[in-house]
Amino acid sequence: DRFPFEAAGRMSIENLKPTSNDPFADTGAANDDGLAGKQEGFIHLRIQQRSGRKTLTTVQGISPEYDLKKLVKACKKEFACNGCVVEHPEYGEVMQLQGDQRNNVARFLSDIGLARPDHIKVHGF
């Protein structure tokens, strides 16, 4: 009754079941206002001029309980840009994204429930 490739263990119906592709599923339970985790303070979105027309967006102030590497990975996929997490001597871990992504990141963070819009400060020209 079984197909030969199922018996070999290469494929089964279990592999086809939908799984949660949420990169923030393991960040914690929702608190009383419906937002996930315990984001305290402000998240600062800044822009830095590189060379010529090139810019760099930095995101600082995200709670350390969130995995910034997963956040960067989701932002890179969402905004079609490159990015990384760097260690800043004063601010700690800071996300860097290529291009002017300040408004995109602000909308993204509020949409996924990581921070309320009034806790996100957008700086720069």
Side-chain angles (χ1 to χ4, degrees):
D1 290 326
R2 292 186 167 235
F3 292 105
F5 55 84
E6 281 185 6
R10 292 188 311 202
M11 182 176 173
S12 82
I13 194 75
E14 297 297 319
N15 295 339
L16 302 176
K17 289 186 178 179
T19 60
S20 173
N21 289 334
D22 184 12
F24 313 108
D26 60 347
T27 58
N31 57 14
D32 57 356
D33 60 359
L35 296 177
K38 300 177 184 81
Q39 179 62 40
E40 298 172 359
F42 291 103
I43 295 177
H44 298 276
L45 306 177
R46 295 182 175 89
I47 189 167
Q48 296 176 356
Q49 190 72 34
R50 285 183 35 211
S51 59
R53 295 174 47 195
K54 307 287 184 184
T55 57
L56 190 68
T57 301
T58 59
V59 182
Q60 175 256 323
I62 295 178
S63 178
E65 68 187 29
Y66 294 104
D67 188 359
L68 288 185
K69 290 182 180 180
K70 286 185 179 182
L71 272 172
V72 166
K73 187 175 181 178
C75 287
K76 287 166 58 172
K77 186 175 253 187
E78 183 79 17
F79 311 138
C81 67
N82 201 4
C84 64
V85 177
V86 295
E87 185 68 33
H88 192 274
E90 184 179 349
Y91 302 126
E93 284 191 328
V94 176
M95 283 175 35
Q96 288 185 343
L97 298 170
Q98 286 183 351
D100 185 3
Q101 307 292 342
R102 293 173 295 171
N103 295 329
N104 293 337
V105 172
R107 192 175 324 109
F108 179 73
L109 292 177
S110 62
D111 286 349
I112 64 171
L114 195 135
R116 294 193 308 259
D118 58 332
H119 281 119
I120 298 174
K121 298 249 183 193
V122 179
H123 303 278
F125 47 84

